Amino acid sequence: MMSCAVAVRDLRVERGRRQVLHGVSFEVPRGSVLGLIGPSGCGKTTLMRAVVGVQTVAGGTVTVLGEPAGGPGLRTKVGYSTQSPAVYDDLTVTENLAYFAAVLGAPKTDVARVVAEVGLEDAAGQTARTLSGGQKSRASLAVALLGAPELLVLDEPTVGLDPVLRNELWGLFHRLAAGRGVTLMVSSHVMDEASRCDRLLLMREGEILADDSPGTLRDRTGAADLEAAFLRLIADREAVSDR
Amino acid sequence: MSSAQITLATAKRILTQLRHDHRTVALMVLVPTLVMILLYYVIGDQGSFDAWTPVLLCVFPFLVMFLVTSIATLRERTTGTLERLMASPLGKLDLLLGYGLAFGLMAVVQVALVLSVSLTWLGFGLGAPLWPLVVVALCNALLGTALGLLCSAFARTEFQAVQFMPVVMIPQLLLGGILVPRDQMAPVLEWISNVLPMSYAIEAMKLAAAAGAEGDFWRDVAVVAGSAVLALVLGAATLRRRTP
């Protein structure tokens, strides 16, 4: 059994002539929750797409569960939820899930399970078009939970949710990691969510500023909270580059 | 899950989407029949109507399937469901065949209605068996689906996708031998006409209406079906697992 679910080495991604990831390297241990934190446009989504294997990359390697990212063997093992909900607007929540379950070869009973896991029981018969923003993003998240993924790549899964629901989902993420040994990569720009991750990647402008546990980050920077720690890291980095 | 099961699940999903959209279904199924009725009263002469009916039977399945498919696949691309599917075990051909199957089924319903109204109420004088007409109409619907899939890859917005319709459709109609017989065109135009699949579809439909599956009928059908397969393969090549 490998200890690493994801290993990224010197990953470079270009969009047009602009480089959006400048040689990023990191590893994610199995069964852990990794938080990707950073401002909008810092490359979080690009990095996640590269791990899922849907991003054209310019260089470097991405190894997922021992295989090159996006390999045929990974397609039932990696659950992916995009930032904007990717569900069919004109299907009900249940119909959406039933279709994706069929594509993944997941049992039909999975539909009811994931609906319950994201707390959408009351809206299961509604077409996705009529859902609120938060409900729709939960429907999209539910698709990623179908089957038995070993790695979940979730791009801003809690955006637009109230604190109670957010708390419930983070509870679910930790149950998946602790109970089923699932590895999670979760992006967010909310700092209080960052403290719930086992490890954090702080990203800015296509680079990783820090790769540590939330506690170590606070200690290292001497900051009271993660927001302050993040600001201090940026200030340090700029001081170095100005010199 | 085997590839065939994924294809069937995809076709079922597309039909379920249509079931939620009554207006689109009504437009797909009723419009060709209503236009046929309009044509009947505009022409007012049974002989000319009998000559025009095969042409319309050719144009409608193609047109409707082209439009519906190009918009539907464009939506898959823009809403992120395609990206999700490209990260799943679904094969590119599973998706394309799923679309072909679902919209092919819609084409059967569409053609069945327009043919039954034409043959009964409108007194379309068909001096040959019915099935060759259905074969051509279906091949043409599949061609429309396949070209719609292909063209949607070159459109960024639904506005652009709709504009591809006249680009693909009008030259094929002008050069397809409807207005001017193909052998009376300038040589260059006749050459172009020779490589457009719709020319063969229209010829096959005219043959089918006049004498059934006789003469060049099967050659023409093979050209139309072959073009549909070619367009499907090219369409599959435009679906990428990795995108920038």
Side-chain angles (χ1 to χ4, degrees):
Chain A
M1 192 90 175
M2 301 147 291
S3 58
C4 240
V6 180
V8 175
R9 295 256 174 289
D10 197 30
L11 175 67
R12 280 169 296 115
V13 173
E14 282 160 9
R15 191 157 297 140
R17 272 186 222 140
R18 209 165 53 89
Q19 202 173 57
V20 288
L21 288 180
H22 321 284
V24 168
S25 300
F26 66 96
E27 286 182 351
V28 190
R30 274 184 186 254
S32 68
V33 181
L34 175 80
L36 269 176
I37 310 290
S40 171
C42 71
K44 299 189 295 272
T45 298
T46 309
L47 182 56
M48 298 188 116
R49 293 184 76 234
V51 170
V52 175
V54 294
Q55 173 71 49
T56 318
V57 301
T61 58
V62 183
T63 312
V64 175
L65 307 168
E67 256 191 80
L74 292 174
R75 293 194 186 129
T76 53
K77 291 186 194 162
V78 178
Y80 173 41
S81 179
T82 49
Q83 192 168 356
S84 54
V87 288
Y88 296 101
D89 263 347
D90 38 11
L91 293 183
T92 67
V93 174
T94 307
E95 285 164 350
N96 263 297
L97 291 167
Y99 172 57
F100 286 110
V103 168
L104 289 167
K108 287 201 173 80
T109 49
D110 260 22
V111 174
R113 171 180 66 85
V114 295
V115 164
E117 278 175 346
V118 299
L120 268 185
E121 292 97 331
D122 293 339
Q126 262 174 263
T127 49
R129 184 176 287 120
T130 64
L131 298 175
S132 71
Q135 286 174 321
K136 204 165 149 183
S137 74
R138 275 184 286 155
S140 189
L141 170 64
V143 176
L145 300 174
L146 287 166
E150 291 173 39
L151 171 68
L152 280 173
V153 180
L154 309 176
D155 201 352
E156 307 254 358
T158 58
V159 136
L161 298 184
D162 65 70
V164 176
L165 273 170
R166 234 170 40 209
N167 191 41
E168 278 175 17
L169 284 183
W170 276 96
L172 169 68
F173 298 160
H174 283 285
R175 280 201 306 284
L176 288 170
R180 286 192 233 156
V182 177
T183 312
L184 290 97
M185 272 180 83
V186 185
S187 74
S188 175
H189 57 253
V190 187
M191 286 297 168
D192 65 328
E193 292 189 346
S195 59
R196 304 195 60 165
C197 300
D198 300 325
R199 271 194 36 250
L200 286 178
L201 283 188
L202 292 188
M203 289 187 70
R204 191 154 186 268
E205 291 169 359
E207 285 178 348
I208 293 176
L209 286 188
D211 174 3
D212 253 320
S213 73
T216 317
L217 271 175
R218 276 189 294 257
D219 296 345
R220 216 179 79 194
T221 55
D225 58 38
L226 284 168
E227 184 119 22
F230 193 23
L231 289 172
R232 190 145 313 162
L233 281 166
I234 293 169
D236 291 352
R237 171 67 62 105
E238 277 168 1
V240 170
S241 61
D242 285 348
R243 218 172 283 155
Chain B
M1 172 107 350
S2 80
S3 192
Q5 282 169 302
I6 294 181
T7 304
L8 285 178
T10 304
K12 188 180 155 207
R13 183 263 295 173
I14 295 159
L15 290 172
T16 314
Q17 283 179 287
L18 281 177
R19 217 185 56 220
H20 283 286
D21 187 355
H22 302 249
R23 205 172 294 180
T24 297
V25 173
L27 286 168
M28 280 173 92
V29 173
L30 293 180
V31 167
T33 304
L34 292 175
V35 172
M36 198 64 104
I37 295 169
L38 182 65
L39 179 79
Y40 175 80
Y41 286 106
V42 168
I43 291 181
D45 160 31
Q46 195 72 46
S48 309
F49 175 71
D50 286 356
W52 272 98
T53 307
V55 174
L56 281 197
L57 282 175
C58 247
V59 172
F60 272 116
F62 181 88
L63 187 74
V64 175
M65 296 308 145
F66 179 86
L67 269 183
V68 177
T69 316
S70 54
I71 301 275
T73 39
L74 185 72
R75 274 195 201 157
E76 294 246 22
R77 288 176 205 269
T78 51
T79 56
T81 48
L82 185 67
E83 178 163 306
R84 177 158 250 164
L85 290 173
M86 287 294 104
S88 81
L90 170 130
K92 296 170 189 174
L93 269 183
D94 297 341
L95 182 69
L96 298 185
L97 292 177
Y99 268 100
L101 212 59
F103 288 142
L105 208 64
M106 288 304 294
V108 171
V109 177
Q110 187 189 55
V111 168
L113 183 70
V114 76
L115 265 180
S116 43
V117 169
S118 302
L119 287 168
T120 54
W121 176 12
L122 307 180
F124 172 42
L126 181 63
L130 184 61
W131 64 266
L133 272 84
V134 179
V135 168
V136 181
L138 275 182
C139 283
N140 226 5
L142 284 180
L143 180 67
T145 298
L147 282 176
L149 283 164
L150 182 58
C151 287
S152 78
F154 302 100
R156 289 270 168 278
T157 65
E158 294 185 10
F159 277 142
Q160 292 177 4
V162 173
Q163 294 304 325
F164 271 111
M165 195 266 286
V167 172
V168 171
M169 200 67 206
I170 292 179
Q172 296 212 75
L173 291 183
L174 290 179
L175 296 170
I178 300 174
L179 301 175
V180 180
R182 294 192 322 125
D183 51 11
Q184 290 171 25
M185 291 176 194
V188 178
L189 295 180
E190 197 185 340
W191 295 336
I192 300 174
S193 164
N194 285 342
V195 295
L196 296 177
M198 188 60 94
S199 310
Y200 297 88
I202 292 169
E203 187 178 85
M205 194 61 103
K206 283 182 173 166
L207 285 171
E214 301 286 333
D216 284 338
F217 177 81
W218 286 115
R219 185 207 64 179
D220 291 343
V221 167
V223 171
V224 177
S227 307
V229 171
L230 183 68
L232 268 185
V233 171
L234 290 175
T238 68
L239 297 176
R240 300 242 176 257
R241 295 235 181 235
R242 284 179 187 271
T243 48

